[in-house]
């Protein structure tokens, strides 16, 4: 029987074997990579400060709750829990805001709840559509995005449905 | 981003003023930053761990190998317009770095790929089929191991933080497949109209 707790250890073993096979300094490479990971996290911190402040404000003042009550019927019609509404709304707009929203769901509903797991899957399986679009189009000097954004948003919705379907109640 | 942030703050304060919850609003504003710092600290260990694993993979040459293996299938998938194949190497590096969760390496290669493809066209021309497909793929994340979410779940005390890996992979796969199919469908429609 497949056990999901095997994934990470197996990944570690595979990585170490790759390093040994390539005859590199695995320890040194790990430390350099870890340094990079921490640098990424530090880079994220100011953005998270801004976004966690904004989401905390929206949560405490009841705005998030209202968003949920508007979106919940739509989500539950699609088989998704209403608590993930903030995640579903914020994910295409901002990575750090979505991260803050997922953290909120994990905190209020529990890390192993269905809503918490679905929030993680949706967030992990999608990208900040609008930011990425602006970045890539800007790099190519393009003003028009053609059908890219509607297609990406439909794909995002399809991913959400898949998440709800896979993580059964 | 700017607009979203301003809207969030304004909506929050206005809602607080209407419902008389300005006290709660003040507390939230002052504690948000603290929350961010402790949140980052709680994820730091797992982040460093994944960074380390990715460092080993990169220095072992796995990333370069993955990019090399993707060349042939990518050539077929993208249906390049003349001159656009120059971006093939960057596209492979971008997609394989995305797959392995190395966002830092994926973005520069992706931007360079977009520039190279754009260079094959006259300025002011609408984006080509290959450019739109590449853009759309980058707007759906393709990642083998959802490292940030695993770190987040570990920090939240999940029983098995990595148990979302398979569902996440499937959801990404389904949404990417939908994106590719829709792109192909749209470009076929565009050709027929011309």
């Amino acid at each position: 029987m497949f056990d999901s707790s095997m994934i990470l250890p197996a990944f570690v073993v595979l990585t170490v074997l790759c390093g040994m096979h390539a005859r590199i300094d695995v320890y040194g490479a790990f430390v350099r990579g870890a340094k990079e990971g921490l640098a990424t996290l530090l880079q994220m911190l100011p953005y998270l400060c801004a976004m966690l402040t904004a989401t905390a404000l929206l949560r405490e003042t009841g705005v998030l709750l209202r968003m949920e009550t508007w979106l919940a019927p739509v989500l539950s019609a699609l088989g998704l829990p209403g608590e993930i509404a903030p995640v579903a709304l914020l994910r295409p707009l901002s990575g750090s805001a979505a991260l803050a929203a997922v953290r909120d769901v994990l905190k209020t509903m529990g890390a192993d709840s269905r809503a918490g797991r679905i929030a993680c899957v949706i967030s992990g399986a999608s990208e900040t559509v609008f930011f990425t679009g602006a970045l890539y189009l800007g790099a190519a000097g393009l003003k028009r995005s053609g059908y890219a954004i509607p297609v990406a948003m439909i794909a995002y919705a399809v991913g959400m449905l898949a998440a709800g379907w896979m993580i059964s109640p | 981003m700017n607009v979203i942030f301003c809207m969030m703050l304004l909506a929050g304060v206005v809602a607080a003023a209407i419902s008389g919850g300005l006290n709660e609003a003040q507390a939230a504003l002052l504690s948000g930053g603290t929350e961010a710092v402790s949140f980052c600290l709680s994820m730091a260990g797992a982040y460093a761990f994944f960074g380390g694993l990715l460092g080993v993979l990169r220095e072992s040459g796995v990333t370069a190998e993955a990019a090399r293996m993707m060349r042939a299938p990518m050539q077929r998938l993208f249906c390049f317009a003349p001159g656009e194949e120059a971006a093939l190497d960057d596209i492979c590096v971008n997609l394989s770095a995305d797959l392995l969760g190395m966002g830092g390496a994926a973005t520069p290669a992706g931007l360079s790929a977009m520039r190279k493809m754009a260079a094959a066209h006259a300025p002011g021309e609408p984006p080509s089929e290959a450019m739109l497909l590449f853009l759309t793929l980058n707007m759906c994340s393709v990642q083998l191991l959802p490292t940030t979410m695993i770190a987040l779940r570990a920090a939240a005390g999940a029983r098995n933080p990595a148990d979302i890996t398979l569902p996440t992979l499937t959801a990404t796969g389904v949404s990417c497949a939908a994106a590719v199919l829709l792109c192909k469908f749209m470009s076929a429609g565009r050709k027929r109209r011309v």
Side-chain angles (χ1 to χ4, degrees):
Chain A
M1 203 26 216
F2 177 80
D3 182 0
S4 64
S5 63
M6 271 162 41
I7 294 173
L8 206 48
F11 188 66
V12 172
V13 170
L14 208 67
T15 306
V16 171
L17 288 180
C18 279
M20 283 166 66
H21 179 72
R23 294 177 187 280
I24 60 156
D25 171 19
V26 175
Y27 176 62
F30 186 93
V31 172
R32 279 186 290 277
K35 197 171 158 189
E36 223 167 88
L38 289 176
T40 314
L41 197 62
L42 204 60
Q43 260 172 22
M44 262 166 55
L45 181 56
Y47 299 93
L48 274 176
C49 278
M51 279 305 157
L52 274 170
T53 306
T55 39
L57 181 68
L58 291 183
R59 186 184 57 227
E60 294 307 320
T61 54
V63 175
L64 274 188
L65 212 65
R66 215 161 306 158
M67 273 167 40
E68 274 171 36
T69 45
W70 287 336
L71 250 181
V74 183
L75 288 175
S76 60
L78 300 174
L80 294 163
E83 292 86 0
I84 62 157
V87 179
L89 270 182
L90 290 170
R91 181 64 188 137
L93 301 172
S94 153
S96 39
L99 203 53
V102 174
R103 179 182 157 278
D104 267 359
V105 175
L106 291 185
K107 219 169 158 187
T108 49
M109 305 297 295
D112 288 313
S113 63
R114 177 166 186 256
R117 291 155 55 97
I118 289 182
C120 285
V121 170
I122 289 177
S123 204
S126 53
E127 196 38 83
T128 44
V129 171
F130 293 98
F131 171 74
T132 312
L135 191 68
Y136 278 62
L137 290 169
L142 289 167
K143 296 223 167 56
R144 278 185 278 175
S145 62
Y147 47 75
I149 292 199
V151 165
M153 289 308 286
I154 295 174
Y156 173 58
V158 170
M160 273 205 284
L161 286 181
W165 174 73
M166 266 177 308
I167 302 197
S168 41
Chain B
M1 222 35 260
N2 184 27
V3 179
I4 300 162
F5 184 62
C6 294
M7 292 291 285
M8 286 172 87
L9 287 184
L10 292 179
V13 173
V14 169
I18 293 171
S19 64
L22 280 174
N23 252 334
E24 285 85 350
Q26 185 187 336
L29 285 171
L30 291 174
S31 66
T34 319
E35 253 180 72
V37 174
S38 58
F39 174 47
C40 264
L41 273 181
S42 69
M43 293 217 311
Y47 239 81
F49 166 70
F50 283 122
L53 286 185
L54 294 177
V56 174
L57 283 180
R58 188 179 45 228
E59 292 187 26
S60 315
V62 173
T63 337
E65 182 66 20
R68 207 178 55 76
M69 271 164 46
M70 282 167 80
R71 274 191 70 104
M74 286 304 122
Q75 179 103 43
R76 294 194 54 184
L77 177 65
F78 276 95
C79 313
F80 291 112
E84 286 182 341
E85 316 85 47
L88 183 58
D89 277 328
D90 280 330
I91 289 178
C92 292
V93 170
N94 167 268
L95 292 180
S96 57
D98 254 346
L99 215 59
L100 292 170
M102 293 187 241
T107 310
L111 296 183
S112 144
M114 279 304 270
R115 268 195 292 271
K116 283 182 186 164
M117 285 193 275
H121 299 278
E125 226 176 274
S128 70
E129 201 182 308
M131 288 166 90
L132 286 175
L133 179 57
F134 180 62
L135 177 62
T136 314
L137 276 183
N138 265 284
M139 292 199 283
C140 314
S141 112
V142 249
Q143 199 175 345
L144 288 180
L145 204 60
T147 48
T148 303
M149 285 305 129
I150 296 176
L152 184 60
R153 284 171 56 72
R159 246 177 295 130
N160 177 4
D163 66 0
I164 52 144
T165 305
L166 270 187
T168 307
L169 202 56
T170 320
T172 319
V174 170
S175 100
C176 283
V180 171
L181 285 178
L182 277 168
C183 272
K184 292 290 178 198
F185 179 73
M186 294 298 290
S187 61
R190 203 155 71 159
K191 265 184 214 139
R192 217 174 300 127
R193 250 181 285 133
V194 172

